Amino acid sequence: MNRYKSLSIDFQIWARSHQSSFEELLKNILPQSGVAPQRLHSAMRYSVLDGGKRVRPLLAFAAGELARADITRVNIVATAVELIHAYSLVHDDMPCMDNDVLRRGKPTCHVEYDEATALLVGDSLQSLAFQLLAENKLSDDAGHQLDMIRLLATASGSRGMAGGQAIDLASVGSQLSLPELEFMHIHKTGALIRAAVLLGARCGGVLTGSELAALDHYGKCIGLAFQVMDDILDSEADTITLGKTAGKDAEQDKPTYVTLRGLQAARKMAAEFHDEALDTLKIFGESALRLNEMADFILFRKY
Amino acid sequence: MNRYKSLSIDFQIWARSHQSSFEELLKNILPQSGVAPQRLHSAMRYSVLDGGKRVRPLLAFAAGELARADITRVNIVATAVELIHAYSLVHDDMPCMDNDVLRRGKPTCHVEYDEATALLVGDSLQSLAFQLLAENKLSDDAGHQLDMIRLLATASGSRGMAGGQAIDLASVGSQLSLPELEFMHIHKTGALIRAAVLLGARCGGVLTGSELAALDHYGKCIGLAFQVMDDILDSEADTITLGKTAGKDAEQDKPTYVTLRGLQAARKMAAEFHDEALDTLKIFGESALRLNEMADFILFRKY
């Protein structure tokens, strides 16, 4: 395949349209700033709105299309996953973690507000994610919906995203092997990306076990491709393009795919994960169009 | 009634038996320290096990008895509520919040481990609470179970416990009125106490709307009684008895029922909330025995 092909106009329109309507949805779902406690609600909105590529919601929408899911249901799971992602960024940026001051081109939450508020923002966004999954109808079968909640909770917790962050913390300044680095990322970023794909799909018609396994493997591959690209961009791009502090990995002596294998090998790995993701989708034929394009989107992103 | 009556031996046996079996349950439910990421799991166990009066779980058990609920179901909601409570203590004790070094007679989580780990412990305990509610059968009706999850999420979030903490933060050094103080506590401690009562009851037979409203009002009253007693104990007891730093409220210039109304008036308020709680239970007759005793337990506690 051509590594330099650009994303189709059709996909770009699809992505922008979903990003835009998703932003409106978030504005309505998040508690309004005028509702008490105002400062907390204002900080929650600050941390979630107007930022990010919305990769996880787009993955949920793409998987929802594959499963012919009702968009109002996919909207809810996309929001819940994005709230979990947003809470993890707010907590990750705090001084006791990555101590970062810039996120999505704006001061981080604890800089704009204060640390205590940032702590409560993260805590509240997590609660809100589960509230949304519980109070909106996501499936004709309530038992199936309970299993969707279990899926997000597991992906978020100590054996998912938060566990990956703990491994990341422990790895600073140490020499990880490639399998150890991969294990960390499968948890830290991979778990939530996989959850986005699976939850989007599970809003729709019932999928077979092998179809769900294929989607899960797709999610694993693009999660790793996403992380390798993150490492490449952190080493190459500038702070203004990224919207967050560039070069932090090297500065903090964090092991990355680039420091471990070099830039060229990292590029090759990202391409291989991407290709494996596309292979996995073949069983779905044309209905996987958007998921295919999302894999390209992740590989060809510039920030 | 006699304000100096002691708790019945029968109740004391009931409470200790539940506290003891609940401790065993927590040991089994929490991820083992040997499972990766080990440090995070070890810190989660440190923060939850071997501590506290387990007031919220006991309330869930007492309400479960009223509704003739299956104990294996009540065990799960009691655990979920206690995990939310434990996460809030871990985050609350962090330097950017209350900056406390002692909890339940032991160094706080961020002192024993580190701040980043404490942050992730709280985050992971919250996820685990929702995971438990989703993956265990709590009702014959899965739709009813979804509503139970919604209840805990709402009680925990920005319009419940976390919101109450935000109001608490904003109140330091300011002069709150009594209604404002009450509003704060109804959220900060009250929301989770009410959730414990309601979730315990909802594991059992279907209750009428007025029965649920009565239980909710009972929860509100004992939540306030609990908080007034907390303020009294903070002003009177010593650090060793409390197991946490005593006299913090005055030191931090936090408004409390004692600073606002004086010790005698605060004692009277606690007794009034207690009596109102008992009045509310009258519609249940004998089946509310344990909930009655729990109201006494909260009023007569020494730490």
Side-chain angles (χ1 to χ4, degrees), chain B residues 23 26-27 30-33 38-52 54 82-83 86-87 89-90 93 100-114 117-118 121-122 125 243:
Chain B
E23 195 69 24
L26 286 176
K27 282 183 192 163
L30 283 163
Q32 300 300 316
S33 301
Q38 285 94 338
R39 186 175 166 85
L40 176 61
H41 287 151
S42 159
M44 287 168 74
R45 298 178 72 86
Y46 177 84
S47 304
V48 178
L49 296 177
D50 187 28
R54 312 295 188 200
E82 188 69 2
L83 294 182
Y87 113 63
L89 297 183
V90 171
D93 287 335
D100 219 325
V101 296
L102 197 64
R103 168 73 65 186
R104 295 171 171 172
K106 301 189 297 186
T108 46
C109 181
H110 68 275
V111 171
E112 183 72 14
Y113 291 84
D114 56 79
T117 300
V121 162
L125 291 175

Short mmCIF file of all heavy atoms in Angstrom, two decimals, chain B residues 23 26-27 30-33 38-52 54 82-83 86-87 89-90 93 100-114 117-118 121-122 125 243:
data_model
loop_
_atom_site.label_atom_id
_atom_site.label_comp_id
_atom_site.label_asym_id
_atom_site.label_seq_id
_atom_site.Cartn_x
_atom_site.Cartn_y
_atom_site.Cartn_z
N GLU B 23 -14.52 -8.09 56.24
CA GLU B 23 -13.07 -7.96 56.06
C GLU B 23 -12.53 -9.12 55.21
O GLU B 23 -11.71 -8.91 54.30
CB GLU B 23 -12.40 -7.95 57.44
CG GLU B 23 -10.97 -7.48 57.46
CD GLU B 23 -10.82 -5.99 57.16
OE1 GLU B 23 -11.78 -5.22 57.38
OE2 GLU B 23 -9.74 -5.61 56.68
N LEU B 26 -13.51 -8.51 51.60
CA LEU B 26 -12.67 -7.51 50.94
C LEU B 26 -11.32 -8.11 50.56
O LEU B 26 -10.80 -7.85 49.47
CB LEU B 26 -12.43 -6.32 51.88
CG LEU B 26 -13.58 -5.35 52.10
CD1 LEU B 26 -13.19 -4.30 53.12
CD2 LEU B 26 -13.98 -4.67 50.79
N LYS B 27 -10.77 -8.93 51.44
CA LYS B 27 -9.47 -9.54 51.15
C LYS B 27 -9.53 -10.38 49.88
O LYS B 27 -8.57 -10.46 49.12
CB LYS B 27 -9.03 -10.45 52.31
CG LYS B 27 -8.47 -9.69 53.49
CD LYS B 27 -7.97 -10.66 54.57
CE LYS B 27 -7.70 -9.90 55.87
NZ LYS B 27 -7.63 -10.81 57.02
N LEU B 30 -10.47 -7.70 46.56
CA LEU B 30 -9.40 -6.80 46.10
C LEU B 30 -8.34 -7.62 45.35
O LEU B 30 -8.03 -8.74 45.74
CB LEU B 30 -8.75 -6.09 47.28
CG LEU B 30 -9.57 -4.94 47.86
CD1 LEU B 30 -9.07 -4.58 49.26
CD2 LEU B 30 -9.52 -3.72 46.95
N PRO B 31 -7.77 -7.05 44.29
CA PRO B 31 -6.71 -7.78 43.56
C PRO B 31 -5.57 -8.13 44.53
O PRO B 31 -5.21 -7.32 45.39
CB PRO B 31 -6.24 -6.76 42.51
CG PRO B 31 -7.33 -5.77 42.38
CD PRO B 31 -8.03 -5.72 43.70
N GLN B 32 -5.03 -9.33 44.39
CA GLN B 32 -3.95 -9.76 45.27
C GLN B 32 -2.67 -8.96 44.98
O GLN B 32 -2.43 -8.53 43.85
CB GLN B 32 -3.69 -11.26 45.06
CG GLN B 32 -4.88 -12.16 45.36
CD GLN B 32 -5.39 -12.04 46.80
OE1 GLN B 32 -4.61 -12.03 47.74
NE2 GLN B 32 -6.70 -11.90 46.97
N SER B 33 -1.85 -8.81 46.02
CA SER B 33 -0.62 -8.01 45.88
C SER B 33 0.37 -8.62 44.90
O SER B 33 1.22 -7.91 44.37
CB SER B 33 0.07 -7.87 47.23
OG SER B 33 -0.78 -7.25 48.15
N GLN B 38 1.97 -4.86 40.86
CA GLN B 38 2.01 -5.24 42.27
C GLN B 38 1.94 -4.05 43.24
O GLN B 38 1.22 -4.12 44.24
CB GLN B 38 3.29 -6.04 42.59
CG GLN B 38 3.27 -7.48 42.09
CD GLN B 38 3.92 -7.62 40.72
OE1 GLN B 38 4.01 -6.64 39.97
NE2 GLN B 38 4.35 -8.82 40.39
N ARG B 39 2.70 -3.02 42.94
CA ARG B 39 2.75 -1.90 43.90
C ARG B 39 1.37 -1.24 44.02
O ARG B 39 0.92 -0.89 45.10
CB ARG B 39 3.80 -0.89 43.45
CG ARG B 39 4.03 0.24 44.45
CD ARG B 39 5.18 1.13 43.98
NE ARG B 39 5.20 2.38 44.73
CZ ARG B 39 5.78 2.53 45.91
NH1 ARG B 39 6.37 1.51 46.48
NH2 ARG B 39 5.73 3.71 46.52
N LEU B 40 0.72 -1.07 42.89
CA LEU B 40 -0.63 -0.48 42.90
C LEU B 40 -1.60 -1.37 43.67
O LEU B 40 -2.38 -0.89 44.51
CB LEU B 40 -1.11 -0.26 41.47
CG LEU B 40 -2.55 0.25 41.30
CD1 LEU B 40 -2.72 1.62 41.97
CD2 LEU B 40 -2.92 0.36 39.82
N HIS B 41 -1.56 -2.67 43.40
CA HIS B 41 -2.49 -3.57 44.09
C HIS B 41 -2.19 -3.64 45.58
O HIS B 41 -3.11 -3.70 46.41
CB HIS B 41 -2.46 -4.95 43.44
CG HIS B 41 -3.13 -4.97 42.10
ND1 HIS B 41 -2.79 -5.83 41.09
CD2 HIS B 41 -4.15 -4.22 41.60
CE1 HIS B 41 -3.56 -5.61 40.02
NE2 HIS B 41 -4.38 -4.64 40.31
N SER B 42 -0.93 -3.63 45.92
CA SER B 42 -0.56 -3.63 47.33
C SER B 42 -1.09 -2.35 48.02
O SER B 42 -1.62 -2.40 49.13
CB SER B 42 0.97 -3.74 47.42
OG SER B 42 1.43 -3.27 48.66
N ALA B 43 -0.96 -1.22 47.34
CA ALA B 43 -1.43 0.06 47.91
C ALA B 43 -2.95 0.10 48.00
O ALA B 43 -3.53 0.71 48.92
CB ALA B 43 -0.91 1.23 47.08
N MET B 44 -3.64 -0.54 47.05
CA MET B 44 -5.11 -0.61 47.12
C MET B 44 -5.52 -1.40 48.37
O MET B 44 -6.43 -1.01 49.10
CB MET B 44 -5.68 -1.26 45.86
CG MET B 44 -5.63 -0.38 44.61
SD MET B 44 -5.98 -1.28 43.06
CE MET B 44 -7.77 -1.54 43.21
N ARG B 45 -4.87 -2.53 48.59
CA ARG B 45 -5.19 -3.35 49.77
C ARG B 45 -4.87 -2.59 51.05
O ARG B 45 -5.64 -2.62 52.01
CB ARG B 45 -4.44 -4.69 49.71
CG ARG B 45 -4.80 -5.55 48.50
CD ARG B 45 -4.01 -6.85 48.44
NE ARG B 45 -4.44 -7.80 49.46
CZ ARG B 45 -5.45 -8.66 49.32
NH1 ARG B 45 -6.14 -8.69 48.20
NH2 ARG B 45 -5.78 -9.48 50.30
N TYR B 46 -3.72 -1.93 51.07
CA TYR B 46 -3.32 -1.15 52.25
C TYR B 46 -4.39 -0.11 52.60
O TYR B 46 -4.68 0.13 53.77
CB TYR B 46 -1.99 -0.46 51.94
CG TYR B 46 -1.49 0.45 53.04
CD1 TYR B 46 -0.77 -0.07 54.11
CD2 TYR B 46 -1.72 1.82 53.01
CE1 TYR B 46 -0.30 0.75 55.13
CE2 TYR B 46 -1.26 2.65 54.01
CZ TYR B 46 -0.55 2.11 55.08
OH TYR B 46 -0.10 2.94 56.08
N SER B 47 -4.96 0.50 51.56
CA SER B 47 -5.90 1.61 51.79
C SER B 47 -7.30 1.15 52.19
O SER B 47 -8.07 1.94 52.73
CB SER B 47 -6.01 2.46 50.52
OG SER B 47 -4.74 2.91 50.12
N VAL B 48 -7.63 -0.08 51.89
CA VAL B 48 -9.00 -0.54 52.13
C VAL B 48 -9.08 -1.50 53.33
O VAL B 48 -10.02 -1.43 54.13
CB VAL B 48 -9.57 -1.24 50.88
CG1 VAL B 48 -10.98 -1.78 51.16
CG2 VAL B 48 -9.60 -0.28 49.69
N LEU B 49 -8.09 -2.40 53.45
CA LEU B 49 -8.19 -3.46 54.45
C LEU B 49 -7.85 -2.96 55.85
O LEU B 49 -7.14 -1.97 56.01
CB LEU B 49 -7.26 -4.62 54.07
CG LEU B 49 -7.62 -5.34 52.77
CD1 LEU B 49 -6.60 -6.42 52.46
CD2 LEU B 49 -9.03 -5.93 52.86
N ASP B 50 -8.37 -3.69 56.84
CA ASP B 50 -7.93 -3.51 58.21
C ASP B 50 -8.14 -2.08 58.70
O ASP B 50 -7.23 -1.47 59.25
CB ASP B 50 -6.43 -3.89 58.30
CG ASP B 50 -5.94 -3.90 59.73
OD1 ASP B 50 -6.78 -4.15 60.63
OD2 ASP B 50 -4.75 -3.66 59.95
N GLY B 51 -9.32 -1.57 58.49
CA GLY B 51 -9.50 -0.21 58.99
C GLY B 51 -10.93 0.22 58.95
O GLY B 51 -11.74 -0.28 58.19
N GLY B 52 -11.25 1.14 59.82
CA GLY B 52 -12.55 1.78 59.74
C GLY B 52 -13.63 1.01 60.47
O GLY B 52 -13.49 -0.17 60.79
N ARG B 54 -16.55 0.63 59.18
CA ARG B 54 -17.41 0.01 58.15
C ARG B 54 -18.87 0.42 58.37
O ARG B 54 -19.78 -0.43 58.30
CB ARG B 54 -17.28 -1.51 58.14
CG ARG B 54 -15.86 -2.04 58.13
CD ARG B 54 -15.10 -1.69 56.87
NE ARG B 54 -13.80 -2.36 56.80
CZ ARG B 54 -12.82 -1.94 56.02
NH1 ARG B 54 -12.95 -0.85 55.27
NH2 ARG B 54 -11.67 -2.59 55.99
N GLU B 82 -18.15 0.82 50.04
CA GLU B 82 -16.95 1.00 50.86
C GLU B 82 -15.73 1.35 49.99
O GLU B 82 -14.87 2.13 50.42
CB GLU B 82 -16.69 -0.25 51.70
CG GLU B 82 -15.58 -0.10 52.74
CD GLU B 82 -15.92 0.84 53.91
OE1 GLU B 82 -17.04 1.38 53.96
OE2 GLU B 82 -15.04 1.04 54.77
N LEU B 83 -15.66 0.80 48.79
CA LEU B 83 -14.55 1.13 47.89
C LEU B 83 -14.62 2.60 47.48
O LEU B 83 -13.60 3.28 47.40
CB LEU B 83 -14.54 0.23 46.65
CG LEU B 83 -14.25 -1.26 46.87
CD1 LEU B 83 -14.23 -2.01 45.54
CD2 LEU B 83 -12.93 -1.47 47.62
N ALA B 86 -13.48 4.50 50.48
CA ALA B 86 -12.03 4.38 50.67
C ALA B 86 -11.28 5.23 49.65
O ALA B 86 -10.29 5.89 49.98
CB ALA B 86 -11.61 2.91 50.56
N TYR B 87 -11.75 5.23 48.39
CA TYR B 87 -11.06 6.06 47.38
C TYR B 87 -11.14 7.53 47.77
O TYR B 87 -10.16 8.27 47.63
CB TYR B 87 -11.62 5.79 45.97
CG TYR B 87 -12.36 6.94 45.33
CD1 TYR B 87 -11.72 8.15 45.03
CD2 TYR B 87 -13.72 6.86 45.01
CE1 TYR B 87 -12.41 9.22 44.47
CE2 TYR B 87 -14.40 7.90 44.44
CZ TYR B 87 -13.75 9.09 44.18
OH TYR B 87 -14.42 10.15 43.64
N LEU B 89 -11.29 8.82 50.73
CA LEU B 89 -10.36 9.10 51.83
C LEU B 89 -8.92 9.23 51.30
O LEU B 89 -8.19 10.14 51.70
CB LEU B 89 -10.43 7.99 52.88
CG LEU B 89 -11.76 7.81 53.61
CD1 LEU B 89 -11.64 6.72 54.67
CD2 LEU B 89 -12.24 9.10 54.25
N VAL B 90 -8.54 8.32 50.42
CA VAL B 90 -7.18 8.35 49.88
C VAL B 90 -6.93 9.67 49.16
O VAL B 90 -5.90 10.32 49.37
CB VAL B 90 -6.94 7.15 48.93
CG1 VAL B 90 -5.62 7.29 48.19
CG2 VAL B 90 -6.97 5.84 49.70
N ASP B 93 -6.93 12.77 51.59
CA ASP B 93 -5.74 12.90 52.45
C ASP B 93 -4.54 13.47 51.72
O ASP B 93 -3.55 13.84 52.35
CB ASP B 93 -5.36 11.53 53.05
CG ASP B 93 -6.33 11.08 54.13
OD1 ASP B 93 -6.97 11.96 54.75
OD2 ASP B 93 -6.45 9.86 54.35
N ASP B 100 -3.19 15.14 54.96
CA ASP B 100 -3.17 14.45 56.25
C ASP B 100 -2.21 13.25 56.18
O ASP B 100 -2.04 12.64 55.13
CB ASP B 100 -4.57 13.99 56.65
CG ASP B 100 -4.79 14.16 58.15
OD1 ASP B 100 -3.82 13.97 58.91
OD2 ASP B 100 -5.91 14.49 58.55
N VAL B 101 -1.58 12.95 57.30
CA VAL B 101 -0.57 11.89 57.31
C VAL B 101 -1.04 10.63 58.03
O VAL B 101 -0.38 9.60 57.96
CB VAL B 101 0.75 12.38 57.97
CG1 VAL B 101 1.36 13.52 57.14
CG2 VAL B 101 0.50 12.84 59.40
N LEU B 102 -2.18 10.75 58.73
CA LEU B 102 -2.63 9.63 59.56
C LEU B 102 -4.09 9.30 59.24
O LEU B 102 -4.94 10.18 59.17
CB LEU B 102 -2.51 10.02 61.03
CG LEU B 102 -2.55 8.88 62.06
CD1 LEU B 102 -1.37 7.95 61.88
CD2 LEU B 102 -2.53 9.48 63.48
N ARG B 103 -4.38 8.03 59.06
CA ARG B 103 -5.75 7.59 58.75
C ARG B 103 -5.92 6.19 59.32
O ARG B 103 -5.12 5.31 59.04
CB ARG B 103 -5.95 7.60 57.23
CG ARG B 103 -7.18 6.93 56.71
CD ARG B 103 -8.44 7.70 56.95
NE ARG B 103 -8.50 8.98 56.25
CZ ARG B 103 -9.51 9.86 56.44
NH1 ARG B 103 -10.49 9.59 57.29
NH2 ARG B 103 -9.50 11.01 55.80
N ARG B 104 -6.96 5.99 60.11
CA ARG B 104 -7.21 4.68 60.70
C ARG B 104 -5.98 4.16 61.44
O ARG B 104 -5.64 2.99 61.40
CB ARG B 104 -7.65 3.68 59.62
CG ARG B 104 -8.99 4.05 59.01
CD ARG B 104 -9.34 3.19 57.79
NE ARG B 104 -10.72 3.43 57.36
CZ ARG B 104 -11.25 2.95 56.25
NH1 ARG B 104 -10.54 2.21 55.45
NH2 ARG B 104 -12.50 3.20 55.94
N GLY B 105 -5.27 5.11 62.10
CA GLY B 105 -4.11 4.75 62.91
C GLY B 105 -2.86 4.37 62.13
O GLY B 105 -1.87 3.92 62.70
N LYS B 106 -2.90 4.54 60.80
CA LYS B 106 -1.73 4.19 59.97
C LYS B 106 -1.35 5.40 59.12
O LYS B 106 -2.17 6.29 58.89
CB LYS B 106 -2.08 3.04 59.01
CG LYS B 106 -2.56 1.76 59.66
CD LYS B 106 -2.67 0.62 58.63
CE LYS B 106 -3.69 0.87 57.53
NZ LYS B 106 -3.88 -0.29 56.63
N PRO B 107 -0.11 5.42 58.60
CA PRO B 107 0.24 6.48 57.66
C PRO B 107 -0.73 6.45 56.47
O PRO B 107 -1.14 5.37 56.04
CB PRO B 107 1.66 6.11 57.20
CG PRO B 107 2.20 5.21 58.27
CD PRO B 107 1.01 4.49 58.84
N THR B 108 -1.08 7.62 55.97
CA THR B 108 -1.98 7.66 54.82
C THR B 108 -1.28 7.07 53.59
O THR B 108 -0.06 6.92 53.57
CB THR B 108 -2.43 9.10 54.53
OG1 THR B 108 -1.29 9.95 54.58
CG2 THR B 108 -3.43 9.57 55.58
N CYS B 109 -2.06 6.76 52.58
CA CYS B 109 -1.55 6.04 51.41
C CYS B 109 -0.38 6.76 50.73
O CYS B 109 0.63 6.16 50.40
CB CYS B 109 -2.69 5.80 50.40
SG CYS B 109 -2.20 4.88 48.93
N HIS B 110 -0.51 8.09 50.56
CA HIS B 110 0.56 8.80 49.85
C HIS B 110 1.82 8.90 50.71
O HIS B 110 2.91 9.09 50.17
CB HIS B 110 0.10 10.20 49.42
CG HIS B 110 -0.14 11.16 50.54
ND1 HIS B 110 -1.33 11.22 51.22
CD2 HIS B 110 0.67 12.07 51.12
CE1 HIS B 110 -1.25 12.14 52.16
NE2 HIS B 110 -0.05 12.66 52.13
N VAL B 111 1.69 8.75 52.03
CA VAL B 111 2.87 8.75 52.91
C VAL B 111 3.53 7.38 52.86
O VAL B 111 4.75 7.26 52.71
CB VAL B 111 2.47 9.12 54.36
CG1 VAL B 111 3.64 8.90 55.32
CG2 VAL B 111 1.99 10.56 54.42
N GLU B 112 2.72 6.33 52.95
CA GLU B 112 3.26 4.96 52.95
C GLU B 112 3.81 4.58 51.56
O GLU B 112 4.82 3.90 51.47
CB GLU B 112 2.14 3.98 53.36
CG GLU B 112 2.57 2.54 53.48
CD GLU B 112 3.44 2.26 54.69
OE1 GLU B 112 3.52 3.12 55.59
OE2 GLU B 112 4.06 1.17 54.71
N TYR B 113 3.12 5.02 50.51
CA TYR B 113 3.59 4.75 49.15
C TYR B 113 4.11 6.07 48.57
O TYR B 113 5.15 6.53 48.99
CB TYR B 113 2.47 4.12 48.32
CG TYR B 113 2.15 2.72 48.79
CD1 TYR B 113 1.28 2.51 49.87
CD2 TYR B 113 2.75 1.61 48.21
CE1 TYR B 113 1.03 1.22 50.34
CE2 TYR B 113 2.49 0.33 48.66
CZ TYR B 113 1.64 0.14 49.72
OH TYR B 113 1.38 -1.13 50.18
N ASP B 114 3.39 6.69 47.69
CA ASP B 114 3.77 7.99 47.15
C ASP B 114 2.52 8.62 46.57
O ASP B 114 1.50 7.95 46.41
CB ASP B 114 4.87 7.84 46.09
CG ASP B 114 4.46 6.90 44.97
OD1 ASP B 114 3.70 7.34 44.10
OD2 ASP B 114 4.85 5.73 45.00
N THR B 117 1.02 7.06 43.31
CA THR B 117 0.35 5.79 43.59
C THR B 117 -1.00 6.03 44.29
O THR B 117 -2.00 5.38 43.96
CB THR B 117 1.27 4.88 44.44
OG1 THR B 117 2.47 4.64 43.71
CG2 THR B 117 0.60 3.56 44.77
N ALA B 118 -1.02 6.97 45.23
CA ALA B 118 -2.28 7.27 45.93
C ALA B 118 -3.35 7.74 44.93
O ALA B 118 -4.53 7.37 45.03
CB ALA B 118 -2.05 8.33 47.00
N VAL B 121 -4.50 4.71 43.12
CA VAL B 121 -5.27 3.85 44.02
C VAL B 121 -6.72 4.32 44.06
O VAL B 121 -7.66 3.53 43.90
CB VAL B 121 -4.67 3.86 45.45
CG1 VAL B 121 -5.69 3.36 46.48
CG2 VAL B 121 -3.42 2.99 45.50
N GLY B 122 -6.91 5.61 44.26
CA GLY B 122 -8.27 6.15 44.31
C GLY B 122 -9.01 5.91 43.00
O GLY B 122 -10.15 5.45 42.98
N LEU B 125 -9.85 2.18 42.67
CA LEU B 125 -10.91 1.72 43.58
C LEU B 125 -12.28 2.13 43.05
O LEU B 125 -13.25 1.39 43.16
CB LEU B 125 -10.69 2.27 44.99
CG LEU B 125 -9.47 1.72 45.76
CD1 LEU B 125 -9.32 2.45 47.10
CD2 LEU B 125 -9.59 0.21 45.99
N GLY B 243 -7.73 7.80 65.52
CA GLY B 243 -6.99 7.11 64.46
C GLY B 243 -6.69 8.03 63.30
O GLY B 243 -6.16 7.62 62.28
#
